[in-house]
Amino acid sequence: IAIDKDVLIPDDSSLTVASEGFFGGSFVEVLPGASFDYLAAGDEIVDTQGSISLIQLMMRFVSRGED
């Protein structure tokens, strides 16, 4: 992803793919850490989390009620 060079992101931050809701799109959310060391150009964020599909989650909940 491209981030403006004036934005400082602590090097212990994490990324997660979040959803805007049932019918909304997805976006990448930066969860800032507490470090005083910041990411430099070309650095990588190691802590990442995939999204949870709300539709799949609801289908699991509904199918459990049929047992």
Side-chain angles (χ1 to χ4, degrees):
I1 62 173
I3 298 175
D4 191 294
K5 64 181 179 181
D6 296 329
V7 175
L8 298 176
I9 300 176
D11 64 0
D12 61 344
S13 298
S14 63
L15 291 180
T16 185
V17 177
S19 175
E20 293 179 6
F22 288 116
F23 302 110
S26 296
F27 59 94
V28 176
E29 180 178 16
V30 178
L31 303 170
S35 176
F36 291 106
D37 296 320
Y38 299 99
L39 294 172
D43 284 352
E44 295 181 5
I45 295 179
V46 179
D47 185 15
T48 60
Q49 302 172 21
S51 66
I52 297 173
S53 169
L54 294 176
I55 300 297
Q56 289 177 348
L57 190 60
M58 287 192 61
M59 292 302 291
R60 286 185 191 169
F61 178 75
V62 169
S63 65
R64 286 184 183 165
E66 295 175 1
D67 291 342

